[in-house]
Amino acid sequence: MSKVILTGDRPTGRLHVGHYVGSLKRRVELQNSGEYDKIFIMIADAQALTDNADNPEKVRQNIIEVALDYLSAGLDPEKTTILIQSQIPELTEMTQYFMNLVTVSRLQRNPTVKSEINMRKFETSIPVGFFTYPISQASDILAFKATTVPAGEDQEPMIEQTREIVRKFNSVYGETLIEPEILLPESEAARRLPGTDGKAKMSKSLGNCIYLADSEEDVRAKIMSMYTDPDHIKVSDPGKIEGNTVFTYLDAFSKTEQFERYLPEYANLDELKEHYQKGGLGDVKVKKFLNNVLQEELEPIRARRHEYEKDIAGVYDILKKGSEEARQVAANTLHDIKEAMKINYFDDAELIAKHAKKYGN
Ligand code: TRP
């Protein structure tokens, strides 16, 4: 069986280092591993519109930002198909048929939908399109016969919903669709990178994000004002590692060899943590190290971004070509789906002949 990746993001803002370490970096590694036959990365604009119906301009402006973030992170359009969801009408058609296989109560039990409804205070005034987006997301995955969906933990309920649709579809209409597996981030730190203020998650509205497109100076300033241990006041005070954002970021980003380069008095992160916990290590020193580590990661990304920024029409062209290629694949799957459901009347010579016979032709 061929191995196919599909994953994506809603274009509601630029991507930050949480997206990078939780997913983007892995996608690039998977792309370069050569282990996958096809890789599709979707800019999920139609999904973004399910809760931004009154603000399509936000979605429209952010498609290019997300595309630039993808390309600058190292997604290579020669190896990876980057597509815009709304440009694949076959996805909508598929969703229509999958909707018949999912109950309202099942959607109400989806933890992601549940928590997003609470967060956005939609309560009973949820747009139907938002309520049903797990089904639309199932189409995103199934249209490409994806075997693997690299994504964060928050997407697990979506993948489970997708798998249920596959089982239901295959049992009703015959083996047609493939059950995908989620591929979660490897390290705990990468799974849930907190905001610079130590809050649970990076979010634009909290102003606690470090963006991939941030300048060197912005990154430095954000690191220098990061949340650490509020009880670590004097350098000599013992400090806490748990909930200390600077150390969480070091867990996610630092490599042992970087100690030799930037902090040779420590052999590795464990030694640095130990000293911090004992007392005698100041926040500024740790933050400066984190700055070196993060700048090393972000510098090549920034450089690639500047190159792509010089040819925006070219980037739109990459998206157009990717969407066209993706559309072909989705059309083939839709064809299989309609054939399985036997709603491909005009291709069904047997059906036509049978009815002709019934009427004595
Ligand atoms: N729901 C994902 C997010 O909010 C975006 C997305 C849309 C997606 N379609 C997808 C992710 C298909 C994985 C597979 O980030």
Side-chain angles (χ1 to χ4, degrees):
M1 193 172 75
S2 70
K3 289 172 77 179
V4 179
I5 284 179
L6 179 125
T7 187
D9 302 276
R10 297 176 179 208
T12 53
R14 288 180 294 157
L15 301 182
H16 50 59
V17 294
H19 293 119
Y20 180 70
V21 79
S23 139
L24 213 42
K25 190 177 179 179
R26 184 82 174 281
R27 292 180 201 173
V28 175
E29 286 163 5
L30 294 169
Q31 166 194 272
N32 296 335
S33 75
E35 276 181 35
Y36 290 85
D37 300 289
K38 275 306 301 176
I39 303 180
F40 297 94
I41 309 289
M42 172 183 288
I43 301 180
D45 62 332
Q47 187 178 109
L49 286 168
T50 62
D51 61 337
N52 286 284
D54 52 357
N55 198 1
E57 202 50 31
K58 172 164 120 187
V59 175
R60 195 170 120 91
Q61 295 306 327
N62 278 304
I63 290 174
I64 189 74
E65 297 302 327
V66 171
L68 285 166
D69 287 334
Y70 283 170
L71 295 165
S72 52
L75 289 178
D76 174 355
E78 299 286 317
K79 298 181 185 155
T80 292
T81 306
I82 305 175
L83 61 129
I84 303 180
Q85 186 185 26
S86 65
Q87 303 308 297
I88 324 292
E90 286 77 7
L91 297 174
T92 318
E93 201 175 328
M94 251 174 239
T95 302
Q96 166 83 7
Y97 299 124
F98 294 155
M99 279 186 174
N100 302 332
L101 307 176
V102 180
T103 64
V104 171
S105 70
R106 176 64 184 87
L107 285 175
Q108 281 168 332
R109 269 188 284 117
N110 183 310
T112 310
V113 173
K114 234 172 155 169
S115 81
E116 287 185 39
I117 287 171
N118 287 337
M119 223 165 62
R120 291 158 215 250
K121 307 197 168 41
F122 275 150
E123 283 156 29
T124 52
S125 56
I126 333 158
V128 173
F130 179 83
F131 184 59
T132 55
Y133 93 76
I135 307 175
S136 153
Q137 184 159 335
S139 302
D140 299 343
I141 297 166
L142 300 177
F144 300 98
K145 303 207 160 148
T147 51
T148 311
V149 181
E153 265 169 344
D154 59 329
Q155 298 300 308
E156 259 177 325
M158 300 296 159
I159 310 305
E160 193 43 47
Q161 177 71 79
T162 306
R163 295 166 61 90
E164 282 174 34
I165 290 173
V166 171
R167 292 196 287 267
K168 182 89 185 173
F169 188 99
N170 288 350
S171 81
V172 177
Y173 305 114
E175 282 300 313
T176 312
L177 301 170
I178 294 163
E179 277 189 53
E181 309 267 359
I182 192 165
L183 189 63
L184 292 167
E186 276 160 337
S187 81
E188 186 55 36
R191 277 180 205 208
R192 285 180 185 279
L193 197 72
T196 52
D197 57 358
K199 295 257 162 57
K201 220 175 160 183
M202 265 189 243
S203 111
K204 198 161 86 182
S205 53
L206 294 172
N208 61 359
C209 307
I210 296 176
Y211 294 101
L212 290 179
D214 277 347
S215 68
E216 186 178 348
E217 239 344 282
D218 284 345
V219 172
R220 186 196 316 275
K222 288 177 183 183
I223 290 174
M224 289 305 163
S225 65
M226 246 183 192
Y227 178 87
T228 56
D229 169 6
D231 298 324
H232 184 242
I233 297 161
K234 287 185 286 180
V235 171
S236 57
D237 289 339
K240 268 207 290 295
I241 301 297
E242 302 75 38
N244 186 323
T245 319
V246 177
F247 281 98
T248 312
Y249 276 55
L250 286 175
D251 278 331
F253 290 98
S254 72
K255 302 180 208 92
T256 298
E257 87 238 21
Q258 288 170 321
F259 280 90
E260 212 177 311
R261 223 168 308 148
Y262 303 117
L263 263 190
E265 58 268 49
Y266 304 93
N268 53 42
L269 188 53
D270 286 337
E271 279 189 14
L272 188 74
K273 286 179 177 173
E274 214 173 284
H275 191 187
Y276 190 83
Q277 283 170 310
K278 215 166 61 201
L281 175 57
D283 281 354
V284 173
K285 190 165 179 176
V286 188
K287 285 178 170 177
K288 280 190 174 155
F289 177 56
L290 174 60
N291 183 55
N292 284 323
V293 165
L294 212 51
Q295 300 288 2
E296 200 178 299
E297 190 92 44
L298 295 179
E299 186 38 44
I301 297 177
R302 234 178 254 135
R304 263 194 301 266
R305 198 178 216 277
H306 288 148
E307 284 310 304
Y308 279 111
E309 282 172 355
K310 290 181 192 154
D311 183 17
I312 293 299
V315 175
Y316 272 103
D317 207 47
I318 290 171
L319 298 177
K320 184 172 180 218
K321 290 215 175 75
S323 300
E324 282 165 0
E325 192 197 321
R327 193 170 175 192
Q328 288 296 322
V329 178
N332 286 339
T333 306
L334 182 62
H335 179 271
D336 296 347
I337 286 173
K338 290 169 92 168
E339 192 170 70
M341 294 173 72
K342 295 190 183 291
I343 55 172
N344 59 337
Y345 314 111
F346 308 132
D347 296 335
D348 193 342
E350 208 179 303
L351 174 83
I352 297 168
K354 185 178 151 205
H355 286 167
K357 193 166 164 216
K358 175 177 168 188
Y359 284 96
N361 308 169

